[in-house]
Amino acid sequence: MRAHILLSVLVLLSRGALAAPPAVDPAMLELADRSRCLTCHDLDETVRGPAWRDVARRYRGKPEVEDALVSKVHEGGGGAWGNDYMSANKRVGLENIRVLVRWILALP
Ligand code: HEC
């Protein structure tokens, strides 16, 4: 497990995700990894889902979207970024999803 986390942090480092200051909180990356978000998302690159910095940019100054994003991540949904659909993430507790969404929305 520890080696796995270290490996994903190294992968992110090599992609430059942690290069730009202020540094990305490793505990949040670990939560995102544990929650399986990183199979479809990256901070800087579009994978299956949009780059999280693009998500932050789109909703900057619109904190009212938080609740809708939390339910969308939990229930799954599409239509906002392209033709792909985010499957439900129901194994991830709502509290953790809220923590993740807040963090994503605040990404520089
Ligand atoms: C199976 C792939 C997949 C997984 C796993 C996944 N996502 Fe997504 N995510 C997507 C796709 C595809 C979209 C774009 C959906 C759309 O166009 O509306 C998306 C969109 C988003 C958005 C933006 C939604 C919007 O309406 O603008 C957020 C925030 C997000 N994901 C967070 C997460 C978090 C947090 C997790 C982990 C708990 C996660 N995603 C797991 C594929 C995934």
Side-chain angles (χ1 to χ4, degrees):
M1 187 63 185
R2 182 153 283 175
H4 176 60
I5 292 164
L6 185 63
L7 188 64
S8 18
V9 170
L10 285 175
V11 167
L12 285 161
L13 267 173
S14 68
R15 287 189 201 147
L18 301 180
V24 173
D25 184 349
M28 290 307 303
L29 280 178
E30 199 250 317
L31 178 61
D33 187 30
R34 210 167 0 109
S35 309
R36 301 276 180 274
C37 311
L38 302 184
T39 57
C40 295
H41 289 281
D42 182 82
L43 292 184
D44 297 289
E45 280 168 46
T46 301
V47 189
R48 264 192 69 181
W52 278 344
R53 289 193 202 278
D54 291 341
V55 175
R57 214 168 286 130
R58 177 179 289 190
Y59 300 118
R60 188 95 65 219
K62 299 182 189 134
E64 69 275 10
V65 300
E66 181 184 308
D67 283 347
L69 289 181
V70 170
S71 5
K72 179 162 175 176
V73 173
H74 192 240
E75 310 287 326
W81 293 87
N83 297 324
D84 213 344
Y85 185 88
M86 173 160 53
S87 38
N89 291 284
K90 297 211 169 154
R91 335 163 290 295
V92 186
L94 274 173
E95 277 312 305
N96 278 345
I97 291 180
R98 188 169 294 280
V99 167
L100 284 163
V101 164
R102 272 197 195 142
W103 170 68
I104 292 165
L105 290 177
L107 283 172

